[in-house]
Amino acid sequence: MGEFDLIKRYFSRKSLQNEVILSVGDDCAITSISAGYQLAITTDTLVEGTHFLPSISPAALAYKSVAVNLSDLAAMGATPTWVSLALTLPEIKEAWLAEFSQSLFAILDRYSMSLIGGDTTKGPLSITLTAQGFLPENQGLFRHQAKVGDWIFVSGFLGDSAAGLDLLLQNRKIENESDRYFIQRHLHPTPRVELGLALRAFSCCALDISDGLLADLGHILERSQVGAEIYLENLPLSHHLCTQYEQTQAEKFALTGGEDYELCFTVSEEKREEMEQVLRSQGIKVTCIGQILPATSGLNLLKNGKKMALPTHIGFDHFS
């Protein structure tokens, strides 16, 4: 099977949106954007051995490749629309491709997205996706827009994905419900698209937690030129994490583990109560974990009012 046969068999189908004028099969895809909207664009590369283990199934790999890009769009408050896929394969395995493409289109369909182009090459296994989404003008969530006095929130639970990766790296036998839950949270994170859309009415500042809460929150503090305090007792830790790990390890996973793909965002005092009511009515779990302070305060960890030391290693860095 050649490159173009591979594309035609596994990755070509009619686009879902009217805005897609030309899709897979030409030198470029052609799309249109409605008046009053901007285009949010994100790219993520997943490399075997760095972002995923060789043992990952093609279905899980396809899902996670899309999910991490959806998480970026969610963090901006954008509505997902299209993706482009660059797939590098060491060899053509039709069973692998069939499972990968079926899972890929399943998650794209779930979020009404279209695959509009990409590339296929031979080499070590890696996947690069570029995802695009519509964002109404002047309604985006940006890292540089946190204000002193804002409350810091996170969605979902933190640390579960790091626990799942810990299990996989140790090659431990999966023995109970909690182990299966951790693995699921690592391989199948939930992109918080609905939350990102809802936050456009209440927040101006958000990002997704991919490298660890402290590392990613640090990007907000740097871009917004502010400080923050985090209340450790408020960290949203799942029942599974609290029962399977000591408190200090659970907190470490939550603060520095990464790959939760939850949203961290800020909300003003004036909009906090309304936001909590709206999200509660929609069944979206969010937790207030701290507050934005002046830049001179830096980043502080507090536990029941007592200042705690920052971890030496605060998150994932490709080159550290």
Side-chain angles (χ1 to χ4, degrees):
M1 181 186 298
E3 175 186 356
F4 297 104
D5 294 324
L6 183 158
I7 294 170
K8 184 176 181 180
R9 180 176 300 184
Y10 296 107
F11 299 108
S12 294
R13 71 173 188 177
K14 186 176 180 180
S15 297
L16 301 177
Q17 296 96 352
N18 294 329
E19 292 90 351
V20 178
I21 299 167
L22 191 61
S23 186
V24 177
D26 218 309
D27 290 307
C28 293
I30 306 296
T31 62
S32 62
I33 305 173
S34 300
Y37 285 85
Q38 298 171 320
L39 196 61
I41 305 169
T42 181
T43 299
D44 272 296
T45 296
L46 280 72
V47 178
E48 184 178 72
T50 299
H51 303 96
F52 59 90
L53 299 174
S55 58
I56 192 173
S57 71
L61 180 57
Y63 174 91
K64 192 167 185 179
S65 299
V66 177
V68 300
N69 279 270
L70 284 170
S71 184
D72 283 334
L73 293 178
M76 305 295 288
T79 301
T81 52
W82 317 302
V83 298
S84 298
L85 167 68
L87 180 61
T88 301
L89 298 167
E91 59 182 325
I92 293 177
K93 293 182 178 179
E94 294 197 43
W96 191 98
L97 284 164
E99 185 178 342
F100 180 90
S101 62
Q102 183 177 8
S103 177
L104 179 82
F105 283 117
I107 185 172
L108 291 181
D109 288 347
R110 187 183 311 173
Y111 292 95
S112 300
M113 301 181 75
S114 294
L115 176 65
I116 61 171
D119 191 23
T120 54
T121 55
K122 183 176 181 179
L125 181 60
S126 68
I127 297 93
T128 297
L129 262 77
T130 296
Q132 302 176 38
F134 290 151
L135 186 63
E137 291 180 356
N138 304 315
Q139 291 190 36
L141 311 174
F142 306 120
R143 298 180 182 187
H144 68 275
Q145 294 187 149
K147 301 291 190 294
V148 173
D150 284 357
W151 295 102
I152 303 169
F153 280 79
V154 294
S155 62
F157 295 108
L158 302 182
D160 293 329
S161 177
L165 179 59
D166 183 56
L167 288 172
L168 291 171
L169 289 176
Q170 294 185 43
N171 200 27
R172 284 167 47 188
K173 182 179 179 181
I174 307 305
E175 297 180 336
N176 53 50
E177 179 186 353
S178 291
D179 289 348
R180 288 187 287 273
Y181 168 81
F182 294 140
I183 298 296
Q184 178 73 6
R185 289 284 289 131
H186 179 68
L187 295 179
H188 289 81
T190 301
R192 301 299 181 182
V193 173
E194 294 81 5
L195 173 59
L197 298 178
L199 286 178
R200 295 197 310 224
F202 305 106
S203 176
C204 296
C205 175
L207 49 59
D208 73 327
I209 302 172
S210 56
D211 296 330
L213 172 63
L214 294 183
D216 288 318
L217 177 60
H219 300 317
I220 287 179
L221 305 188
E222 180 180 2
R223 293 291 302 276
S224 295
Q225 293 296 290
V226 294
E229 59 183 17
I230 300 298
Y231 314 134
L232 292 182
E233 67 273 15
N234 286 10
L235 289 178
L237 307 178
S238 69
H239 168 75
H240 296 283
L241 197 65
C242 291
T243 56
Q244 296 297 308
Y245 291 90
E246 295 289 338
Q247 182 72 16
T248 53
Q249 182 60 65
E251 290 175 355
K252 182 178 180 182
F253 279 151
L255 292 171
T256 67
E259 292 200 81
D260 285 306
Y261 296 105
E262 299 291 350
L263 297 190
C264 176
F265 58 96
T266 68
V267 179
S268 67
E269 175 67 30
E270 292 75 20
K271 293 187 176 182
R272 175 177 174 174
E273 183 177 356
E274 182 185 0
M275 179 212 67
E276 290 179 313
Q277 290 177 349
V278 169
L279 296 185
R280 192 180 304 116
S281 70
Q282 296 179 9
I284 299 175
K285 173 181 170 56
V286 297
T287 304
C288 181
I289 62 165
Q291 192 169 26
I292 297 295
L293 302 177
T296 52
S297 300
L299 175 59
N300 298 289
L301 296 183
L302 302 178
K303 191 163 189 176
N304 299 316
K306 180 182 178 181
K307 190 170 182 179
M308 308 295 288
L310 286 168
T312 303
H313 176 74
I314 64 169
F316 179 78
D317 188 313
H318 281 280
F319 299 102
S320 65

